[in-house]
Amino acid sequence: RRIEAYDISNISGTLAVGSQGVWEDGKARKSAYKRYKIKTVEGPDDFAMMAEVLRRRLQKVQEMPLPDLILLDGGRGQLNAALAVARELGHDSLQMVSLAKEEELVFHPARPKPIALPERSRARQLLQQIRDESHRFAITYHRKLRGKSALRSLLDDIPGIGARRRRALLTRFGSLRGLRNASIEELRRAAGISESLAETIHDVVGAVSS
């Protein structure tokens, strides 16, 4: 009845995030989606990242009951990492499978070889739909963090923008696009800065974005 899907998104280990998509009775329950910033893994280690996300999820069974099935984006490695966490936390009976991209093979703990579901089968289509939605959610979050990181770095390079003003601009405009679309007067009011400094920000952001 309830399926939770997990995916990892990162660029060579940087700004790594995980996503949890939730489907109930064959339909997405977006209000139950969750995002995770990877906190304990350094470098590009998708298996360890998946393990961290599953550990954080399974440590909250009091808040969120366990699903009937966990679907992981990936292959045997992601599945084994998640299974190890489930065993560690005493959830040996939790059902898990992983779905690998390209060949769309299903990896099951009890099967030494992956399962190739018929291309037009409803089961395969449902798993793909859930996996792709979880992937979309992770990618969206990752892009958002990338945009904020780029904006923060850009503001750090402008003389006269300290931590307080940078925080005010990030809060008000959120992204490079938001900053680029802001007028000089909006920049001035948001950060409490002079018109000349607002003009400098406007010119720098425009040059980077063009």
Side-chain angles (χ1 to χ4, degrees):
R1 179 176 175 272
R2 179 183 171 104
I3 300 173
E4 292 181 4
Y6 293 86
D7 185 40
I8 301 296
S9 181
N10 68 95
I11 297 178
S12 299
T14 62
L15 296 176
V17 301
S19 68
Q20 170 195 298
V22 178
W23 288 61
E24 290 185 351
D25 297 325
K27 297 179 181 179
R29 188 186 166 203
K30 294 189 177 183
S31 61
Y33 285 16
K34 285 184 67 65
R35 292 165 169 164
Y36 299 85
K37 282 186 183 179
I38 301 302
K39 299 178 179 179
T40 64
V41 181
E42 295 184 4
D45 189 338
D46 280 8
F47 301 161
M49 292 177 188
M50 186 66 80
E52 178 188 324
V53 169
L54 263 293
R55 180 174 290 106
R56 289 164 62 183
R57 159 61 179 104
L58 296 179
Q59 286 173 337
K60 294 189 176 182
V61 292
Q62 301 299 325
E63 303 170 29
M64 291 185 290
L66 292 176
D68 300 298
L69 176 69
I70 282 181
L71 173 64
L72 309 167
D73 179 43
R76 181 72 67 183
Q78 281 82 0
L79 178 60
N80 287 341
L83 287 169
V85 171
R87 286 193 298 269
E88 171 192 324
L89 298 178
H91 301 298
D92 302 63
S93 60
L94 182 58
Q95 297 296 308
M96 292 190 196
V97 296
S98 61
L99 179 62
K101 291 187 180 72
E102 296 182 6
E103 295 183 10
E104 303 290 13
L105 297 174
V106 179
F107 291 83
H108 189 283
R111 302 279 190 103
K113 294 183 179 180
I115 304 165
L117 294 172
E119 186 172 349
R120 296 183 179 275
S121 74
R122 180 62 185 126
R124 173 169 168 163
Q125 291 172 355
L126 179 63
L127 290 178
Q128 288 174 319
Q129 188 178 6
I130 296 172
R131 188 273 317 278
D132 291 348
E133 171 67 2
S134 177
H135 182 66
R136 179 202 64 78
F137 192 54
I139 286 291
T140 300
Y141 186 35
H142 186 248
R143 285 174 178 164
K144 180 179 179 181
L145 291 183
R146 268 189 2 230
K148 286 187 175 182
S149 178
L151 176 55
R152 188 176 292 109
S153 298
L154 179 66
L155 294 175
D156 283 342
D157 292 335
I158 300 176
I161 300 296
R164 183 180 60 80
R165 287 172 171 172
R166 183 187 66 191
R167 187 163 55 250
L169 289 167
L170 287 169
T171 301
R172 173 65 180 82
F173 301 108
S175 67
L176 281 172
R177 177 180 294 180
L179 202 61
R180 185 176 66 238
N181 293 335
S183 68
I184 291 174
E185 179 59 23
E186 286 174 329
L187 293 171
R188 191 188 67 76
R189 290 201 307 267
I193 56 179
S194 66
E195 185 173 343
S196 61
L197 183 52
E199 289 175 351
T200 299
I201 296 172
H202 193 270
D203 292 343
V204 169
V205 172
V208 170
S209 303
S210 60

